[in-house]
Amino acid sequence: IQSAHSPPPRTTRGGVFPEPDPAMQTEAAVVIGQLATPVVMISAAGLIGLGLFNRYAVVVGRSRTFANERVQLLKQLSGESANAAATSLDRIRLEALEAHSSGVLRRAVIIRSALQCLMVSILAMLTASAAIGLALVSEPLWPLAFIAFAVGLLAMAAGVVLELFELGLSLRDVRLENRMLHDLELMTG
């Protein structure tokens, strides 16, 4: 209802919808931008997590392979029919497998910790996104949004740092394996 003193509402060319208020458009754009930032971070954490889940599966599978090979070698060493040269090589291989197993287990723990950091990051970013949306109706939620976003960033950074550390360990394990294979080759021949 218009009073005699109020101007008529501005309408678009078709005359059906009122023209949007520029201040409201700016505020809507800001809110959409604020809501989108945690979503982008969730996507980034998800992509990193996907790669880490695959890496984790490979490392755990490798650990199981080493465990099975260790069991087989222990069975062979407990048998009385093995000759001395084969027994000596089997003992060296068993020591190598034990060293590899502990290294692979250490790497699996680090990857799992990195994944946990990324999952915490995703939860924090989801909380930040929800708090930003709810802060439109309840202003006291803005600090929660900021804190949740900061926690999400820190958790993601911790996950990436852990994975960088694990990458360094993976190369060390490969070097150890190559050295032990070289030693076995020298012994056999």
Side-chain angles (χ1 to χ4, degrees), residues 60-96:
V60 168
R62 190 170 182 199
S63 177
R64 288 183 178 142
T65 300
F66 284 156
N68 288 336
E69 192 173 342
R70 286 173 61 198
V71 167
Q72 293 302 318
L73 279 173
L74 287 171
K75 285 180 182 178
Q76 287 176 10
L77 289 172
S78 67
E80 296 178 22
S81 62
N83 65 34
T87 301
S88 176
L89 287 174
D90 287 344
R91 288 191 191 285
I92 291 170
R93 180 65 184 147
L94 184 62
E95 289 175 22

Side-chain angles (χ1 to χ4, degrees), residues 16-114:
V16 178
F17 298 105
E19 240 180 74
D21 178 17
M24 183 180 275
Q25 284 179 324
T26 303
E27 185 176 322
V30 168
V31 169
I32 290 170
Q34 291 169 339
L35 288 170
T37 301
V39 172
V40 169
M41 298 303 291
I42 290 168
S43 295
L47 285 173
I48 295 169
L50 180 63
L52 286 180
F53 273 120
N54 289 336
R55 190 168 176 85
Y56 185 67
V58 168
V59 168
V60 168
R62 190 170 182 199
S63 177
R64 288 183 178 142
T65 300
F66 284 156
N68 288 336
E69 192 173 342
R70 286 173 61 198
V71 167
Q72 293 302 318
L73 279 173
L74 287 171
K75 285 180 182 178
Q76 287 176 10
L77 289 172
S78 67
E80 296 178 22
S81 62
N83 65 34
T87 301
S88 176
L89 287 174
D90 287 344
R91 288 191 191 285
I92 291 170
R93 180 65 184 147
L94 184 62
E95 289 175 22
L97 284 170
E98 287 171 357
H100 285 308
S101 294
S102 66
V104 168
L105 180 61
R106 180 176 52 248
R107 288 178 51 210
V109 168
I110 293 168
I111 294 171
R112 185 198 62 206
S113 297

Side-chain angles (χ1 to χ4, degrees), residues 134-145:
L134 292 172
L136 297 174
V137 293
S138 177
E139 208 165 300
L141 290 175
W142 281 112
L144 173 62

